[in-house]
């Protein structure tokens, strides 16, 4: 058996003069990550690590936000918990498909298992 984890990468498309929608997991596109008690700066420019989210999902235990002043939330990465799968990766593919449906993956979002 192999160990896999699932990661979700969501790119928030921003348009000037348009009201910003919520990003996945309840993060606000225009809210600074420092406004959340569970987020902290990583030391890298514009990258924040969050131990939780406004709408946490049980499959994920860590979130990374790329936030640019003046633009808002540009990228969100959710890191999933490890799980065991078979040598063919069929469980990881099934899990990725289920997660995509649960969190409403649309255009600009990708689920990657590795």
């Amino acid at each position: 058996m192999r160990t896999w984890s699932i990661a979700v990468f969501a790119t928030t498309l921003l348009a000037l003069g348009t009201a910003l929608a919520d990003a996945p997991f309840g993060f606000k596109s225009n809210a600074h990550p420092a406004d959340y008690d569970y987020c902290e700066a990583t030391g890298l420019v514009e990258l924040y690590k969050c131990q939780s989210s406004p709408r946490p999902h049980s499959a994920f235990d860590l979130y990374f936000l790329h936030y640019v002043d003046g633009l808002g939330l540009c990228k969100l990465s959710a890191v999933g918990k490890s799980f065991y799968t078979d040598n063919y990766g069929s469980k990881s593919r099934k899990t990725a498909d289920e997660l995509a449906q649960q969190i409403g993956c649309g255009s600009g979002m990708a689920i990657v298992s590795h």
Side-chain angles (χ1 to χ4, degrees):
M1 298 198 112
R2 294 184 178 179
T3 303
W4 290 78
S5 65
I6 302 289
V8 174
F9 302 99
T11 303
T12 305
L13 302 177
L14 303 172
L16 296 174
T18 305
L20 301 175
D22 287 351
F25 307 106
F27 289 106
K28 301 279 186 194
S29 296
N30 58 352
H32 196 284
D35 295 341
Y36 301 107
D37 293 338
Y38 35 79
C39 295
E40 61 187 12
T42 62
L44 299 174
V45 176
E46 303 167 342
L47 185 65
Y48 296 83
K49 179 173 83 172
C50 303
Q51 300 294 331
S52 187
S53 75
R55 280 194 325 256
H57 190 286
S58 61
F60 302 99
D61 53 9
L62 195 60
Y63 305 86
F64 288 94
L65 307 178
H66 178 205
Y67 182 89
V68 178
D69 287 329
L71 290 177
L73 181 60
C74 295
K75 182 178 178 183
L76 183 154
S77 300
V79 180
K81 299 175 181 176
S82 295
F83 60 91
Y84 290 99
T85 188
D86 59 24
N87 289 335
Y88 303 104
S90 57
K91 181 179 178 182
S92 63
R93 284 191 297 275
K94 181 180 178 196
T95 301
D97 290 343
E98 290 170 355
L99 288 172
Q101 289 180 339
Q102 290 174 12
I103 61 175
C105 281
S107 60
M109 295 180 66
I111 290 189
V112 179
S113 62
H114 55 293

